[in-house]
Amino acid sequence: MPVLEGPALTDKGRIQRDAVQRGLVLVLLSTVALVAIGLVMVFSATAPTSIRSVDADPNQQLFSVAVRQVVSAIGGLIFGLVLALLPSKIFNSKLAHGALGLGILLQIGVLVQGGEGVGGNNNWLDIGPIAIQPSEFLKLAMVVWLAYMLGRLSLKEIQVPETLVIPTLGFTASIGVVALGGDMGTALIFGMIALGMFWLAGMRGKHLVVPLIIGAFFAGIFVVARPSRLRRVSEFFGDLVNLPDIHSPTQIEFAQFAFGSGGLTGVGIGAGKEKWWDLKAAHTDFIFAVIGEELGLLGVLTIVALFLTLGWGLKEIAVHHPDRYGQLLAGGAATWLAGQAFANMLVVAGLLPVFGVTLPFISYGGSSMIATLGMVGMVVGCALGVPGVKESWRVRGKLAQRTRTLIRRNG
């Protein structure tokens, strides 16, 4: 039945279509699962502060923070759906310049607005009653812009330094406005995304050595420039060689106590103790420790498996997408979402110094939720642009509808 195949495809085209479809299914299933788990865990992690707020002021809404996260998730799903339905050619154009420019301007607005920020990181912009984190949307804009700029270059052109001047300037401007706000953790994620995309575009590893050395140099300056960062790094190396200090534990040691209390299956959702008093940022940077305590090792491995699934699905799309822009967009998304996730988990597990990054889809944060779901939406839209993918899904949908109709009639 040729109609079921959609447009006529070559053998290579069918292989690409099937691989992209598999990747798309993995991305969608893992994203939905991570968002659902994240919403549940934000409710649990914010329970102590919410209950205390209501005790202090009965007029306060119970679980108001968690409810805002639900609203953000709904907004993110709508944003992602809109981006998925738009033709990918819209952003594979000069419009990418506008997206990056707007992101940089919003981040400059943070610097102009001033303020102390949170934890020394000035990364929030007040727009009326709403506070947004422009750096999250700047990540999305930078992935789109680099996919467009690098996708226009051939593998031979990628090896010529002169052709990379403009992409390098755009990346430098993005990471620069974030670093000026004092958010070293987010700046490191920007660096990871950019280096990953340059490498995926075909830049040789030896050409990345100098940027890595320069990046490490500036990261060192940022660490020593602020005592709190230097203390975190010192605590990290101290924790590697010393047993936990039960009299004056560090933040990482409190997280380890949470993991230890969770055991194999956890103490149960809502029953964790560390979040009540000792574990700071339990609903943001350290929500992975709450998962370890309340869902145990099985819960931790589930989260790891879901992010591996997400990364694998994005990899499948990146490898088999026929267009360079689509390849780099999916590759950049994988570098951002999976890379940041494992960076966060390694920090919470005590295998990296604390540098303040959230767990995508799970940690509390409206800007992060909307931006990451927008990134997934753009990849979905790009995948649906692969010849045969959208048509095949339509055919399967029609077959499923006909099957349900036949079952109802026979019933």
Side-chain angles (χ1 to χ4, degrees):
M1 298 178 67
V3 69
L4 298 183
E5 291 292 330
L9 296 173
T10 62
D11 290 341
K12 181 180 179 180
R14 282 191 289 270
I15 292 173
Q16 289 177 332
R17 179 201 62 190
D18 293 344
V20 170
Q21 283 181 333
R22 288 195 301 270
L24 198 52
V25 170
L26 293 177
V27 168
L28 291 174
L29 290 178
S30 57
T31 299
V32 170
L34 287 167
V35 170
I37 293 173
L39 292 177
V40 173
M41 297 313 301
V42 167
F43 268 93
S44 177
T46 57
T49 54
S50 183
I51 292 172
R52 291 188 189 113
S53 297
V54 173
D55 286 342
D57 182 5
N59 294 323
Q60 292 285 335
Q61 179 186 359
L62 188 64
F63 294 114
S64 59
V65 174
V67 170
R68 286 200 296 271
Q69 185 74 345
V70 173
V71 174
S72 297
I74 294 173
L77 289 172
I78 295 173
F79 182 51
L81 180 61
V82 170
L83 292 179
L85 294 177
L86 291 175
S88 60
K89 292 182 180 179
I90 290 180
F91 294 97
N92 186 13
S93 66
K94 293 182 179 180
L95 185 60
H97 297 312
L100 184 70
L102 179 59
I104 291 175
L105 285 176
L106 288 174
Q107 191 63 32
I108 291 175
V110 173
L111 303 176
V112 173
Q113 176 181 271
E116 296 182 358
V118 178
N121 297 336
N122 190 9
N123 208 7
W124 280 261
L125 179 64
D126 294 326
I127 303 177
I130 302 174
I132 67 169
Q133 195 171 358
S135 60
E136 294 297 324
F137 298 102
L138 184 53
K139 289 177 190 174
L140 174 59
M142 192 182 75
V143 170
V144 173
W145 185 77
L146 283 178
Y148 168 62
M149 294 299 294
L150 296 175
R152 300 165 61 193
L153 303 175
S154 67
L155 292 177
K156 184 177 181 180
E157 290 173 324
I158 288 289
Q159 310 305 325
V160 181
E162 289 78 8
T163 63
L164 299 177
V165 171
I166 295 179
T168 301
L169 289 175
F171 150 65
T172 304
S174 301
I175 194 173
V177 292
V178 171
L180 286 175
D183 193 346
M184 180 180 173
T186 302
L188 288 173
I189 297 300
F190 270 83
M192 177 188 69
I193 294 170
L195 289 175
M197 292 188 70
F198 276 101
W199 180 76
L200 290 171
M203 192 173 179
R204 294 176 182 174
K206 64 180 181 181
H207 294 154
L208 295 173
V209 173
V210 173
L212 283 171
I213 293 174
I214 295 174
F217 173 74
F218 281 103
I221 292 178
F222 268 87
V223 168
V224 300
R226 183 169 294 176
S228 60
R229 296 194 189 116
L230 191 58
R231 187 190 69 251
R232 290 176 183 176
V233 174
S234 300
E235 288 177 350
F236 167 72
F237 287 106
D239 290 341
L240 289 178
V241 296
N242 298 318
L243 293 174
D245 185 352
I246 61 174
H247 300 292
S248 182
T250 64
Q251 176 75 345
I252 290 297
E253 288 171 341
F254 281 126
Q256 292 172 348
F257 296 159
F259 285 123
S261 300
L264 179 62
T265 58
V267 298
I269 296 177
K273 297 179 180 179
E274 294 297 332
K275 65 187 180 185
W276 280 90
W277 306 107
D278 303 319
L279 188 64
K280 298 177 181 178
H283 63 303
T284 54
D285 296 1
F286 279 79
I287 198 169
F288 190 55
V290 178
I291 293 173
E293 183 175 15
E294 299 189 354
L295 300 181
L297 178 61
L298 294 180
V300 166
L301 293 179
T302 298
I303 299 300
V304 172
L306 286 172
F307 276 111
L308 287 174
T309 301
L310 175 66
W312 184 266
L314 291 169
K315 187 274 296 181
E316 285 288 285
I317 296 173
V319 170
H320 296 282
H321 200 286
D323 182 63
R324 283 268 290 172
Y325 170 76
Q327 294 168 3
L328 291 171
L329 186 76
T335 306
W336 170 17
L337 301 177
Q340 180 173 324
F342 283 100
N344 172 273
M345 289 187 282
L346 289 172
V347 166
V348 178
L351 299 177
L352 283 178
V354 177
F355 56 91
V357 294
T358 56
L359 190 58
F361 306 113
I362 296 180
S363 294
Y364 172 78
S367 297
S368 174
M369 180 67 78
I370 294 172
T372 51
L373 288 175
M375 183 76 265
V376 172
M378 292 204 67
V379 173
V380 170
C382 205
L384 291 176
V386 175
V389 172
K390 186 182 295 185
E391 293 80 4
S392 180
W393 278 35
R394 286 174 179 171
V395 168
R396 292 178 183 180
K398 291 179 181 179
L399 286 175
Q401 186 176 2
R402 291 173 184 174
T403 301
R404 286 196 298 269
T405 303
L406 288 173
I407 292 175
R408 289 173 183 173
R409 288 177 180 177
N410 294 333

